[in-house]
Structures are given as C-alpha cells and as structure tokens.
Amino acid sequence: MAEIKTIGVVGGGQMGSGIAQLAAVNGVDVWLLDTDANALTRATKAISSSIQRLVSKGHLSQAIGTDALRRLRCTSKLEDLHSADVIIEAIVESENVKKSLFSELDKIAKVSAILASNTSSISITRLAATTNRPHQVIGMHFMNPPPIMKLVEIIRGADTSDDTFNATKVLAERFGKTVICSQDYSGFIVNRILMPMINEAFYALYTGVATKEDIDTGMKLGTNHPMGPLELADFIGLDVCLSIMKVLHVGLGDNKYAPCPLLVRYVDAGHLGKKQVSIIYPCIFPIPHNENATGVDGDGLSTSKCMLGPAAGLFWASETEASLWCFLLESLIFGP
C-alpha cells in the first residue's frame, strides 16, 4: 500500500480525539468526524490545549504543534472521509452500533481504504463481515490516552490480508507506538488479562475483603502498578469495563468472566466513573452498604455529588478536566 497521507477518525470523544491528535502531530492529515457539533468543538479545544501543553513542556516543537493543528479538520458528514487512506472507528463499545457504522463506511470509503476499529474486545471478524472488503478490516486498539500511551494492539480478523496488517503496523510505528499482535479472540491480549483483574478487585470490594483505598494501594505498592484497579476502572469508565466483561463472558463461555454484581449495580445506577464527573476519587466511587457506612442511600450507593453522563461517555466534562487528566498522566510518564 502507498504511504498513508490522510486518515479519518470516527468519534470525537476521549479516544477519537486522542487518535486524531496523535496522527496530526505525526504529519498525517486528519478528518475527525462526530455527529455532535458540540463534541467536535470540545475535541478541538482539548487537542489544541494538549498540543500547547506539550509544546510548553518541551515535548513537542512549536513548528510541529502548529503544523498538527493545521492538519486537523472536523466534519459531521460521513462522505468527507472518502479521501482517507485509513478510517479508524472510535465510537461506543457496542457491536451492533459498530456493525452499522462499518456497513456505512464500506459504502463511502475509497476502494483501497483500510477500515480499522479501536474496539477493545469485539470480534474483528464479525465487524468485517458487514463489509465487502473483509481483507481490509483490522483491529487497531490504542490505549487511553492515545497521545501518551506507548502501546497499540493490532488484531487480525479471519480474512485480514497481510498487506492490511503490514500497512496498519507501519502506521502505528510511525505514530511512535510499540505494536503487539493478537488473534481475534474476545478481549484480545490486554483486556483478556486486565479486565478480569479489575473485576476481581470489584469482587474483593463487594465481599468486604478490604476498602477501595487498600485494594488500590495494595496493587500500586505491591505490584508497582501506577494506578490501582478500581481507580483505573474509574478512569476507563465502569460501563466500558462491564461491557468488556460481558463480551469475555459470552465469547469465552467461562463463568470466571461473569461481571461482579457490584460493578453491574454501579453501572445500573449511572455511576460510570471520571469521564463526566469531578475527579475527586471518593466522590465518584460509591462505597458498598454496610452497618458502619455513612452518607449512603438505600441502595448502598454514595450520595456524594456526582454528575452522571451518557453511557457512551465520549467526552470530558470540560476542557479544564481534560487538561488536568492529561497533565497528571503526562507527569506520570514523562516526569514533572
């Protein structure tokens, strides 16, 4: 395949805007698509703020930062992605929604275009089956946030061609990422291991093994994880964690992947994590009910102030919150 000059990114949320920023910074023209004009406005502001912050900290030159912003274009029209060499889907983690999108992308994308999914768990083979180009469909799973995290997980569907795989791998490496490759099994590599750990942390909280603080501290100091599993679930989104556990449970057919009832209860109650709330950890993570608990309602959920967002959770509550989270993660990885 010829050099990739233009990509399309579908979804203006945390992942989509992060992928768009990553591509633009690395000299690729980007069309960022979202049907919500407000989401595109938020994404553009967040990308601009992130790039300016990287420039001010010396991680990016002013020239590259200016060029990146020039390369970014936003649209709400699917047809504008026709010129893209690669289209990366980064929308809600729902198989039916993704299938519908891939079917539409197949109609408007140029014949040579690769259709990639940022799914963290859903079968690439099944997504590819909705198109007339299954050999050009692949999984390209970025970690959150894409501009900072070093890994990309590439997943081949049953019919993914060598050319598609090689072109996707070259693109990921152009972005400065380390690539790992997975076969098309539920959860792939990272979430096949990570999500059961998070689920088990919920079980430990659910059964009263320890407090949420001690569970997270134990994993941070005992295994040198930068974030505890419950704190990480908050950051990923509890709804996303639950969705992936359901995919693992159904796809692998083993009850050890059954979602913890406490995780299910939190999502049912609308407690989804940090994506649209204050970042104050205790306020976001409700505590289970017991006779010593205070400040809980009849369902055992914390009554502390929370702003509850949509299940898709495709954007930060504010530019300030997005900037703060990126600052915290950059400090963790790059140092102060």
Side-chain angles (χ1 to χ4, degrees):
M1 185 176 181
E3 181 186 3
I4 294 169
K5 297 180 179 180
T6 303
I7 73 164
V9 179
V10 183
Q14 298 173 26
M15 294 303 295
S17 61
I19 294 167
Q21 175 184 325
L22 183 64
V25 163
N26 284 279
V28 180
D29 291 334
V30 182
W31 278 103
L32 177 61
L33 181 144
D34 200 295
T35 55
D36 182 351
N38 291 328
L40 289 176
T41 299
R42 285 188 293 267
T44 302
K45 289 181 179 178
I47 291 170
S48 179
S49 295
S50 178
I51 288 175
Q52 290 171 13
R53 188 170 51 253
L54 290 171
V55 169
S56 68
K57 294 177 70 174
H59 299 309
L60 208 63
S61 73
Q62 183 63 61
I64 290 176
T66 300
D67 182 66
L69 293 174
R70 180 185 63 79
R71 290 180 179 277
L72 178 65
R73 291 172 289 181
C74 295
T75 183
S76 295
K77 298 178 181 179
L78 208 61
E79 294 77 13
D80 285 337
L81 304 187
H82 175 74
S83 62
D85 302 306
V86 176
I87 301 175
I88 303 172
E89 165 272 311
I91 62 172
V92 64
E93 192 72 353
S94 163
E95 182 167 336
N96 288 337
V97 175
K98 289 181 188 290
K99 282 181 173 179
S100 177
L101 174 62
F102 268 75
S103 178
E104 292 302 311
L105 289 174
D106 186 47
K107 297 173 185 175
I108 64 94
K110 62 184 181 182
V111 174
S112 60
I114 291 172
L115 305 183
S117 175
N118 184 56
T119 179
S120 55
S121 62
I122 294 169
S123 168
I124 301 302
T125 300
R126 292 199 296 270
L127 296 181
T130 65
T131 75
N132 293 312
R133 61 179 87 196
H135 56 291
Q136 291 166 232
V137 176
I138 196 164
M140 193 179 190
H141 178 210
F142 292 82
M143 305 299 122
N144 191 14
I148 296 173
M149 302 300 284
K150 299 297 186 184
L151 188 71
V152 168
E153 191 175 36
I154 294 180
I155 306 95
R156 299 182 70 146
D159 297 315
T160 304
S161 69
D162 289 342
D163 285 346
T164 296
F165 171 80
N166 291 332
T168 304
K169 184 172 184 290
V170 167
L171 181 62
E173 290 171 344
R174 179 177 174 183
F175 291 169
K177 304 303 183 185
T178 297
V179 171
I180 60 174
C181 306
S182 174
Q183 297 300 314
D184 192 16
Y185 291 100
S186 299
F188 316 136
I189 299 170
V190 174
N191 281 327
R192 174 81 174 262
I193 298 167
L194 174 64
M195 288 301 162
M197 181 189 74
I198 288 175
N199 197 50
E200 193 61 29
F202 274 96
Y203 269 113
L205 183 62
Y206 179 57
T207 57
V209 171
T211 65
K212 61 185 180 293
E213 292 86 0
D214 282 352
I215 291 168
D216 278 350
T217 299
M219 294 305 293
K220 285 191 284 188
L221 301 184
T223 62
N224 206 29
H225 289 191
M227 233 183 237
L230 298 176
E231 185 181 7
L232 180 58
D234 249 0
F235 180 64
I236 293 170
L238 273 60
D239 52 328
V240 175
C241 294
L242 177 59
S243 175
I244 295 171
M245 286 308 302
K246 288 178 177 179
V247 169
L248 290 173
H249 192 206
V250 172
L252 299 174
D254 192 323
N255 281 335
K256 73 180 182 181
Y257 298 110
C260 175
L262 185 60
L263 174 60
V264 175
R265 189 202 307 176
Y266 284 165
V267 174
D268 285 347
H271 297 278
L272 307 181
K274 291 186 173 74
K275 57 184 72 178
Q276 281 196 309
V277 297
S278 161
I279 67 166
I280 302 171
Y281 172 70
C283 291
I284 302 164
F285 216 103
I287 57 176
H289 180 69
N290 60 60
E291 63 273 16
N292 298 317
T294 59
V296 296
D297 63 21
D299 292 325
L301 298 178
S302 170
T303 55
S304 35
K305 183 171 62 177
C306 282
M307 294 168 54
L308 303 177
L314 294 179
F315 47 82
W316 295 109
S318 67
E319 183 182 347
T320 300
E321 184 177 325
S323 298
L324 181 54
W325 261 107
C326 285
F327 172 77
L328 291 172
L329 286 161
E330 286 166 6
S331 297
L332 181 68
I333 293 167
F334 295 125

